């Protein structure tokens, strides 16, 4: 008699990781698509990511997601990677292939899909403001530019970080016909005209500070997306709603980035809309 086939194993590795909704999302994708897998959370010591991911791979696991603060380290550990992971300098998805680990970054494509399919706003030809120049902003800028907006402005409290991020993407922006500029949050020349889409990749909302730019940066009915979700996104979304914009949190991006990782691992693309709806139903209602 053959031994029963064990489900393939995946996990999300991070610190902290207890709050992660990825196990819920991947279990829902697996059920929907009939894939046999289990997905767990693995808390890594801050100095122990490499050891833990190696042990997980050696135990026969097939891949993992990686969250803060290990995305740059995950990228560095994998000998093979996608162009978008290289642009971000960070990976949120690893696949443990026989020929070596493969790294991808699905955050940016997840954000673009959520904006275009989830919120119904095609980005081509639009003016987009990206607030922040840390890891979250770096993770999404490449795919954002690939959606061919007319203009992307990267604005950050520490201007040199925004300038460096834009410089690293200059050739990519040119290739996709987008005008990319960058500077400080207080640079009036960058904010002279309003934007169709404002993306908050700063930690300002987490600190209850709304948005770090004035409401005139929003054109009437603009889409305003915080890359975070739950209480962390509330003050930015309240700022956007008060200014007449369309607020959106990062939950749709979370589900879309997971769907892209699931596709990379399993070769099938789940339907994200019912999973986002189910996930929202588990979240405490916004105050
Ligand atoms: P993440 O990986 O979430 O992007 P990060 O790399 O620490 O985290 O980046 C945090 C971002 O939020 C940075 O762009 C930071 O600006 P600085 O580069 O000037 O530090 C931005 N940020 C944090 N608190 C902010 C605030 N109160 N107002 C505006 N920007 C803020």
């Amino acid at each position: 008699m053959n031994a029963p086939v064990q489900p393939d194993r995946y996990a999300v590795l991070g610190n902290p990781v207890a709050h992660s909704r990825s196990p819920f999302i991947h279990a829902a994708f697996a059920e929907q698509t009939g894939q046999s897998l289990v997905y767990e959370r693995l808390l890594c010591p801050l100095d122990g990511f490499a050891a833990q991911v190696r042990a997980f791979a050696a135990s026969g696991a097939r891949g993992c997601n990686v969250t803060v603060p290990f995305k740059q380290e995950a990228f560095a550990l994998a000998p093979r990677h996608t162009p978008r992971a290289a642009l971000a300098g960070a990976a949120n998805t690893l696949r443990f292939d026989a020929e070596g680990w493969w790294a991808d970054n699905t955050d940016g494509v997840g954000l673009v899909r959520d904006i275009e399919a989830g919120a119904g706003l095609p980005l081509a030809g639009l003016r987009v403001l990206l607030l922040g120049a840390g890891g979250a902003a770096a993770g999404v800028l490449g795919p954002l530019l690939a959606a061919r907006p007319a203009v992307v402005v990267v604005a950050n409290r520490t201007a040199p970080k925004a300038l460096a991020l834009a410089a690293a993407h200059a050739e990519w922006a040119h290739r996709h016909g987008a005008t990319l500029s960058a500077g400080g949050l207080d640079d009036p020349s960058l904010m002279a005209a309003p934007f169709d889409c404002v993306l908050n990749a700063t930690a300002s909302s987490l600190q209850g500070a709304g948005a770090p730019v004035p409401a005139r940066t929003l054109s009437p009915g603009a889409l305003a997306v915080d890359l975070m979700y739950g209480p962390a996104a509330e003050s930015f979304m309240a700022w956007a709603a008060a200014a007449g914009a369309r607020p959106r949190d990062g939950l749709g991006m979370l589900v879309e980035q997971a769907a892209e990782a699931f596709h990379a691992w399993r070769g099938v693309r789940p339907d994200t809309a019912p999973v986002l709806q189910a996930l929202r139903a588990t979240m405490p209602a916004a105050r």
Side-chain angles (χ1 to χ4, degrees):
M1 225 172 81
N2 291 336
V5 178
Q6 295 296 315
D8 290 335
R9 285 165 45 237
Y10 298 88
V12 54
L13 280 69
N15 186 340
V17 79
H19 65 285
S20 172
R21 311 314 302 262
S22 293
F24 176 96
I25 296 170
H26 284 284
F29 288 165
E31 190 184 351
Q32 185 198 95
T33 59
Q35 294 283 311
S36 174
L37 62 87
V38 290
Y39 188 110
E40 60 186 306
R41 293 183 188 91
L42 282 178
L43 177 67
C44 300
L46 289 175
D47 60 354
F49 173 74
Q52 190 131 356
V53 73
R54 281 193 188 107
F56 187 56
S59 74
R62 302 292 298 274
C64 66
N65 285 130
V66 181
T67 187
V68 285
F70 302 123
K71 292 182 184 181
Q72 284 87 356
E73 201 176 340
F75 175 73
L77 283 172
R80 300 181 305 132
H81 52 253
T82 58
R84 62 194 181 197
L87 264 180
N92 73 340
T93 302
L94 295 177
R95 202 177 58 208
F96 307 138
D97 295 342
E99 61 270 38
W101 295 2
W102 172 90
D104 194 6
N105 192 319
T106 66
D107 285 333
V109 73
L111 175 65
V112 168
R113 282 217 185 105
D114 183 57
I115 292 170
E116 297 199 322
L121 183 72
L123 286 163
L126 300 189
R127 287 176 50 80
V128 179
L129 175 60
L130 177 62
L131 301 171
V140 301
L141 183 55
L144 190 62
L145 291 162
R148 310 188 77 86
V151 169
V152 174
V153 171
V154 181
N156 193 47
R157 181 173 63 182
T158 309
K161 280 171 66 179
L163 291 164
L165 186 60
H169 287 75
E171 197 274 329
W172 185 256
H174 180 71
R175 200 190 306 174
H176 292 91
T179 301
L180 176 62
S181 48
L185 291 167
D186 51 0
D187 184 338
S189 67
L190 289 176
M191 319 268 176
F195 295 87
D196 309 297
C197 184
V198 175
L199 306 171
N200 186 25
T202 75
S204 67
S205 188
L206 194 59
Q207 298 154 8
V213 286
R216 63 179 157 71
T217 52
L218 294 159
S219 63
L223 183 68
V225 185
D226 198 303
L227 273 56
M228 297 192 194
Y229 55 87
E234 273 177 21
S235 80
F236 177 82
M237 289 176 55
W239 168 83
R246 224 165 22 117
R248 193 168 178 87
D249 67 9
L251 216 53
M253 170 184 169
L254 180 74
V255 174
E256 294 295 347
Q257 65 76 28
E260 188 74 5
F262 192 89
H263 179 257
W265 292 329
R266 312 300 302 180
V268 289
R269 197 171 283 288
D271 182 7
T272 50
V275 177
L276 177 57
Q277 200 179 4
L279 182 60
R280 274 207 196 284
T282 70
M283 307 282 288
R287 277 163 285 161

